Each structure stands twice: as C-alpha cells, then as structure tokens.
Short mmCIF file of all heavy atoms in Angstrom, two decimals:
data_model
loop_
_atom_site.label_atom_id
_atom_site.label_comp_id
_atom_site.label_asym_id
_atom_site.label_seq_id
_atom_site.Cartn_x
_atom_site.Cartn_y
_atom_site.Cartn_z
N LEU A 14 7.94 -7.14 -20.55
CA LEU A 14 7.72 -8.45 -21.15
C LEU A 14 8.49 -9.54 -20.41
O LEU A 14 8.00 -10.66 -20.24
CB LEU A 14 8.14 -8.41 -22.62
CG LEU A 14 7.29 -7.54 -23.55
CD1 LEU A 14 7.88 -7.52 -24.95
CD2 LEU A 14 5.85 -8.05 -23.58
N ALA A 15 9.70 -9.22 -19.97
CA ALA A 15 10.49 -10.20 -19.24
C ALA A 15 9.81 -10.59 -17.93
O ALA A 15 9.77 -11.77 -17.55
CB ALA A 15 11.89 -9.65 -18.96
N LEU A 16 9.23 -9.62 -17.24
CA LEU A 16 8.53 -9.91 -16.00
C LEU A 16 7.28 -10.74 -16.25
O LEU A 16 6.91 -11.60 -15.44
CB LEU A 16 8.16 -8.61 -15.29
CG LEU A 16 9.33 -7.80 -14.71
CD1 LEU A 16 8.85 -6.47 -14.17
CD2 LEU A 16 10.03 -8.59 -13.62
N LEU A 17 6.62 -10.49 -17.37
CA LEU A 17 5.44 -11.29 -17.71
C LEU A 17 5.80 -12.75 -17.98
O LEU A 17 5.04 -13.66 -17.65
CB LEU A 17 4.75 -10.70 -18.93
CG LEU A 17 3.86 -9.47 -18.72
CD1 LEU A 17 3.32 -8.99 -20.05
CD2 LEU A 17 2.72 -9.78 -17.77
N MET A 18 6.97 -12.96 -18.57
CA MET A 18 7.36 -14.32 -18.93
C MET A 18 7.88 -15.12 -17.75
O MET A 18 7.84 -16.35 -17.76
CB MET A 18 8.43 -14.28 -20.03
CG MET A 18 7.92 -13.78 -21.37
SD MET A 18 9.17 -13.92 -22.68
CE MET A 18 10.40 -12.79 -22.07
N PHE A 19 8.37 -14.44 -16.72
CA PHE A 19 8.92 -15.17 -15.59
C PHE A 19 7.80 -15.79 -14.76
O PHE A 19 6.77 -15.15 -14.51
CB PHE A 19 9.75 -14.25 -14.69
CG PHE A 19 11.05 -13.86 -15.30
CD1 PHE A 19 11.76 -12.79 -14.80
CD2 PHE A 19 11.57 -14.55 -16.38
CE1 PHE A 19 12.96 -12.42 -15.35
CE2 PHE A 19 12.77 -14.19 -16.95
CZ PHE A 19 13.48 -13.13 -16.43
N PRO A 20 7.97 -17.00 -14.26
CA PRO A 20 6.96 -17.61 -13.39
C PRO A 20 6.91 -16.92 -12.05
O PRO A 20 7.86 -16.26 -11.63
CB PRO A 20 7.45 -19.06 -13.25
CG PRO A 20 8.91 -19.00 -13.50
CD PRO A 20 9.10 -17.92 -14.53
N HIS A 21 5.78 -17.07 -11.39
CA HIS A 21 5.55 -16.43 -10.10
C HIS A 21 6.60 -16.89 -9.09
O HIS A 21 6.89 -18.06 -8.94
CB HIS A 21 4.16 -16.78 -9.58
CG HIS A 21 3.87 -16.24 -8.22
ND1 HIS A 21 3.62 -14.91 -7.99
CD2 HIS A 21 3.82 -16.84 -7.02
CE1 HIS A 21 3.39 -14.73 -6.70
NE2 HIS A 21 3.51 -15.88 -6.10
N GLY A 22 7.17 -15.90 -8.37
CA GLY A 22 8.06 -16.22 -7.27
C GLY A 22 9.52 -16.30 -7.62
O GLY A 22 10.36 -16.45 -6.75
N ARG A 23 9.90 -16.18 -8.90
CA ARG A 23 11.30 -16.34 -9.25
C ARG A 23 12.17 -15.18 -8.80
O ARG A 23 13.37 -15.30 -8.71
CB ARG A 23 11.45 -16.50 -10.77
CG ARG A 23 10.88 -17.78 -11.30
CD ARG A 23 11.45 -18.98 -10.60
NE ARG A 23 12.87 -19.13 -10.82
CZ ARG A 23 13.40 -19.84 -11.81
NH1 ARG A 23 12.63 -20.46 -12.66
NH2 ARG A 23 14.71 -19.92 -11.93
N LEU A 24 11.56 -14.02 -8.53
CA LEU A 24 12.32 -12.87 -8.09
C LEU A 24 12.18 -12.62 -6.60
O LEU A 24 12.50 -11.56 -6.11
CB LEU A 24 11.88 -11.61 -8.87
CG LEU A 24 12.02 -11.70 -10.37
CD1 LEU A 24 11.61 -10.38 -11.00
CD2 LEU A 24 13.44 -12.06 -10.76
N ARG A 25 11.74 -13.62 -5.86
CA ARG A 25 11.55 -13.43 -4.43
C ARG A 25 12.89 -13.38 -3.73
O ARG A 25 13.78 -14.18 -3.96
CB ARG A 25 10.73 -14.58 -3.86
CG ARG A 25 10.47 -14.43 -2.35
CD ARG A 25 9.79 -15.66 -1.78
NE ARG A 25 8.45 -15.79 -2.32
CZ ARG A 25 8.04 -16.83 -3.00
NH1 ARG A 25 8.88 -17.82 -3.27
NH2 ARG A 25 6.82 -16.88 -3.46
N GLY A 26 13.06 -12.42 -2.82
CA GLY A 26 14.28 -12.34 -2.02
C GLY A 26 14.30 -13.46 -1.00
O GLY A 26 13.28 -13.84 -0.44
N ARG A 27 15.49 -13.95 -0.70
CA ARG A 27 15.58 -15.10 0.19
C ARG A 27 15.27 -14.75 1.63
O ARG A 27 14.91 -15.59 2.43
CB ARG A 27 17.00 -15.68 0.12
CG ARG A 27 18.03 -14.72 0.66
CD ARG A 27 19.42 -15.16 0.37
NE ARG A 27 20.39 -14.25 0.97
CZ ARG A 27 20.58 -13.01 0.58
NH1 ARG A 27 19.85 -12.54 -0.41
NH2 ARG A 27 21.45 -12.24 1.18
N ASP A 28 15.47 -13.47 2.02
CA ASP A 28 15.20 -13.05 3.38
C ASP A 28 13.90 -12.27 3.49
O ASP A 28 13.75 -11.40 4.32
CB ASP A 28 16.36 -12.16 3.90
CG ASP A 28 17.64 -12.96 4.08
OD1 ASP A 28 17.53 -14.17 4.33
OD2 ASP A 28 18.72 -12.36 3.97
N ARG A 29 12.98 -12.56 2.63
CA ARG A 29 11.74 -11.79 2.57
C ARG A 29 11.02 -11.81 3.90
O ARG A 29 10.78 -12.86 4.48
CB ARG A 29 10.85 -12.36 1.48
CG ARG A 29 9.54 -11.60 1.28
CD ARG A 29 8.85 -12.10 0.03
NE ARG A 29 7.63 -11.38 -0.21
CZ ARG A 29 6.43 -11.87 0.09
NH1 ARG A 29 6.31 -13.06 0.63
NH2 ARG A 29 5.34 -11.17 -0.15
N LYS A 30 10.68 -10.63 4.39
CA LYS A 30 10.00 -10.50 5.67
C LYS A 30 8.73 -9.71 5.46
O LYS A 30 8.74 -8.66 4.82
CB LYS A 30 10.90 -9.79 6.69
CG LYS A 30 12.21 -10.52 6.96
CD LYS A 30 13.06 -9.76 7.95
CE LYS A 30 14.42 -10.41 8.14
NZ LYS A 30 14.34 -11.75 8.66
N LEU A 31 7.66 -10.20 6.00
CA LEU A 31 6.39 -9.51 5.93
C LEU A 31 6.05 -8.98 7.30
O LEU A 31 6.14 -9.69 8.30
CB LEU A 31 5.29 -10.45 5.43
CG LEU A 31 5.44 -10.96 4.00
CD1 LEU A 31 4.30 -11.91 3.68
CD2 LEU A 31 5.47 -9.82 3.01
N LYS A 32 5.67 -7.73 7.37
CA LYS A 32 5.32 -7.11 8.63
C LYS A 32 3.90 -6.59 8.54
O LYS A 32 3.45 -6.13 7.48
CB LYS A 32 6.29 -5.97 8.97
CG LYS A 32 7.70 -6.47 9.24
CD LYS A 32 8.55 -5.37 9.80
CE LYS A 32 9.94 -5.90 10.16
NZ LYS A 32 10.77 -4.86 10.78
N PRO A 33 3.17 -6.65 9.66
CA PRO A 33 1.79 -6.17 9.64
C PRO A 33 1.74 -4.67 9.35
O PRO A 33 2.55 -3.90 9.85
CB PRO A 33 1.28 -6.49 11.05
CG PRO A 33 2.52 -6.60 11.88
CD PRO A 33 3.56 -7.16 10.98
N VAL A 34 0.82 -4.29 8.49
CA VAL A 34 0.64 -2.89 8.13
C VAL A 34 -0.67 -2.40 8.75
O VAL A 34 -1.71 -3.01 8.55
CB VAL A 34 0.60 -2.71 6.60
CG1 VAL A 34 0.40 -1.24 6.24
CG2 VAL A 34 1.87 -3.26 5.98
N PRO A 35 -0.63 -1.31 9.54
CA PRO A 35 -1.86 -0.82 10.16
C PRO A 35 -2.86 -0.36 9.11
O PRO A 35 -2.51 0.37 8.17
CB PRO A 35 -1.38 0.36 11.02
CG PRO A 35 -0.08 0.77 10.42
CD PRO A 35 0.54 -0.49 9.88
N LEU A 36 -4.10 -0.82 9.24
CA LEU A 36 -5.15 -0.46 8.29
C LEU A 36 -5.83 0.84 8.71
O LEU A 36 -6.05 1.07 9.90
CB LEU A 36 -6.17 -1.58 8.20
CG LEU A 36 -5.66 -2.94 7.72
CD1 LEU A 36 -6.79 -3.95 7.71
CD2 LEU A 36 -5.05 -2.82 6.33
N PRO A 37 -6.18 1.70 7.76
CA PRO A 37 -6.90 2.93 8.12
C PRO A 37 -8.32 2.60 8.58
O PRO A 37 -8.94 1.66 8.10
CB PRO A 37 -6.91 3.71 6.80
CG PRO A 37 -6.76 2.67 5.73
CD PRO A 37 -5.90 1.60 6.33
N THR A 38 -8.81 3.39 9.52
CA THR A 38 -10.16 3.18 10.06
C THR A 38 -11.16 4.05 9.31
O THR A 38 -10.79 5.06 8.68
CB THR A 38 -10.21 3.52 11.55
OG1 THR A 38 -9.90 4.91 11.72
CG2 THR A 38 -9.18 2.68 12.32
N ILE A 39 -12.42 3.67 9.38
CA ILE A 39 -13.49 4.45 8.73
C ILE A 39 -13.58 5.84 9.34
O ILE A 39 -13.66 6.86 8.63
CB ILE A 39 -14.83 3.72 8.84
CG1 ILE A 39 -14.78 2.38 8.09
CG2 ILE A 39 -15.96 4.60 8.30
CD1 ILE A 39 -14.58 2.54 6.60
N ASN A 40 -13.56 5.92 10.67
CA ASN A 40 -13.68 7.22 11.35
C ASN A 40 -12.51 8.13 11.01
O ASN A 40 -12.69 9.33 10.74
CB ASN A 40 -13.76 7.02 12.86
CG ASN A 40 -15.05 6.34 13.28
OD1 ASN A 40 -16.06 6.40 12.57
ND2 ASN A 40 -15.03 5.68 14.44
N GLY A 41 -11.32 7.57 11.00
CA GLY A 41 -10.15 8.38 10.66
C GLY A 41 -10.19 8.88 9.23
O GLY A 41 -9.86 10.03 8.94
N SER A 42 -10.64 8.01 8.32
CA SER A 42 -10.73 8.41 6.93
C SER A 42 -11.77 9.51 6.72
O SER A 42 -11.55 10.47 5.97
CB SER A 42 -11.08 7.20 6.05
OG SER A 42 -10.09 6.19 6.16
N MET A 43 -12.92 9.37 7.39
CA MET A 43 -13.96 10.39 7.26
C MET A 43 -13.50 11.73 7.83
O MET A 43 -13.75 12.78 7.25
CB MET A 43 -15.23 9.91 7.97
CG MET A 43 -15.88 8.69 7.32
SD MET A 43 -16.43 9.01 5.62
CE MET A 43 -17.72 10.22 5.92
N ALA A 44 -12.81 11.67 8.96
CA ALA A 44 -12.32 12.92 9.57
C ALA A 44 -11.30 13.59 8.67
O ALA A 44 -11.30 14.82 8.49
CB ALA A 44 -11.71 12.62 10.95
N PHE A 45 -10.40 12.80 8.09
CA PHE A 45 -9.40 13.37 7.19
C PHE A 45 -10.05 13.96 5.95
O PHE A 45 -9.68 15.04 5.49
CB PHE A 45 -8.39 12.28 6.81
CG PHE A 45 -7.29 12.76 5.91
CD1 PHE A 45 -6.29 13.59 6.40
CD2 PHE A 45 -7.26 12.40 4.57
CE1 PHE A 45 -5.28 14.04 5.57
CE2 PHE A 45 -6.25 12.84 3.74
CZ PHE A 45 -5.25 13.67 4.25
N ALA A 46 -11.07 13.27 5.39
CA ALA A 46 -11.77 13.78 4.21
C ALA A 46 -12.47 15.09 4.52
O ALA A 46 -12.44 16.04 3.73
CB ALA A 46 -12.76 12.73 3.71
N ALA A 47 -13.12 15.15 5.69
CA ALA A 47 -13.82 16.39 6.06
C ALA A 47 -12.84 17.54 6.23
O ALA A 47 -13.12 18.68 5.82
CB ALA A 47 -14.60 16.16 7.36
N THR A 48 -11.67 17.26 6.80
CA THR A 48 -10.65 18.30 6.96
C THR A 48 -10.20 18.85 5.61
O THR A 48 -10.04 20.06 5.43
CB THR A 48 -9.45 17.74 7.73
OG1 THR A 48 -9.89 17.25 8.99
CG2 THR A 48 -8.39 18.80 7.93
N ILE A 49 -10.02 17.96 4.66
CA ILE A 49 -9.58 18.38 3.32
C ILE A 49 -10.65 19.24 2.65
O ILE A 49 -10.34 20.26 2.01
CB ILE A 49 -9.25 17.15 2.46
CG1 ILE A 49 -8.03 16.43 3.00
CG2 ILE A 49 -9.00 17.57 1.01
CD1 ILE A 49 -6.77 17.25 3.00
N VAL A 50 -11.91 18.83 2.78
CA VAL A 50 -12.99 19.60 2.16
C VAL A 50 -13.08 21.00 2.75
O VAL A 50 -13.19 22.01 2.03
CB VAL A 50 -14.33 18.85 2.32
CG1 VAL A 50 -15.50 19.74 1.88
CG2 VAL A 50 -14.32 17.57 1.50
N VAL A 51 -13.02 21.08 4.09
CA VAL A 51 -13.09 22.39 4.75
C VAL A 51 -11.90 23.25 4.33
O VAL A 51 -12.04 24.46 4.05
CB VAL A 51 -13.12 22.21 6.28
CG1 VAL A 51 -12.99 23.56 6.99
CG2 VAL A 51 -14.41 21.53 6.70
N PHE A 52 -10.72 22.65 4.30
CA PHE A 52 -9.52 23.39 3.90
C PHE A 52 -9.66 23.89 2.47
O PHE A 52 -9.29 25.03 2.15
CB PHE A 52 -8.31 22.47 4.04
CG PHE A 52 -7.00 23.14 3.69
CD1 PHE A 52 -6.54 24.21 4.43
CD2 PHE A 52 -6.25 22.71 2.61
CE1 PHE A 52 -5.34 24.83 4.11
CE2 PHE A 52 -5.06 23.31 2.28
CZ PHE A 52 -4.60 24.38 3.03
N GLY A 53 -10.22 23.08 1.57
CA GLY A 53 -10.43 23.49 0.19
C GLY A 53 -11.40 24.64 0.07
O GLY A 53 -11.20 25.56 -0.73
N LEU A 54 -12.47 24.60 0.88
CA LEU A 54 -13.44 25.69 0.85
C LEU A 54 -12.81 27.00 1.32
O LEU A 54 -13.09 28.07 0.76
CB LEU A 54 -14.65 25.34 1.72
CG LEU A 54 -15.53 24.20 1.19
CD1 LEU A 54 -16.62 23.86 2.21
CD2 LEU A 54 -16.16 24.60 -0.15
N PHE A 55 -11.97 26.92 2.35
CA PHE A 55 -11.29 28.13 2.82
C PHE A 55 -10.40 28.70 1.72
O PHE A 55 -10.39 29.92 1.48
CB PHE A 55 -10.45 27.81 4.06
CG PHE A 55 -11.20 27.95 5.34
CD1 PHE A 55 -11.53 26.83 6.09
CD2 PHE A 55 -11.59 29.19 5.81
CE1 PHE A 55 -12.23 26.95 7.28
CE2 PHE A 55 -12.28 29.33 7.00
CZ PHE A 55 -12.61 28.20 7.74
#
C-alpha cells in the first residue's frame, strides 16, 4: 500500500544507470525450445 501511495519516481536512486540488455532472437528461442522438447521426450 505504501508503494501504491508514493508518486512515480520517488524511490529512484540518484546514480541510476541503464545498460542495454541483449534481446533473445527468434532462431535462438526456437532452437532452445526444440532442445527442451527433445530432452523431455528422452
């Protein structure tokens, strides 16, 4: 409830740093999914 009542940004750290996060690719996701399915069947 306390977090709901606080306005946006009041808990922001003063040295906040944002770094790029690598996004997963479609091909990589499909390959990983197929590996899991095959492993499950085994």
Side-chain angles (χ1 to χ4, degrees):
L14 293 176
L16 291 174
L17 281 177
M18 292 186 296
F19 287 163
H21 177 74
R23 292 306 296 269
L24 301 182
R25 181 186 293 121
R27 66 190 183 292
D28 291 332
R29 183 170 181 259
K30 300 179 185 298
L31 295 178
K32 293 190 176 183
V34 180
L36 299 179
T38 63
I39 296 296
N40 292 336
S42 300
M43 294 298 294
F45 181 72
T48 302
I49 293 298
V50 171
V51 172
F52 182 63
L54 291 175
F55 271 110

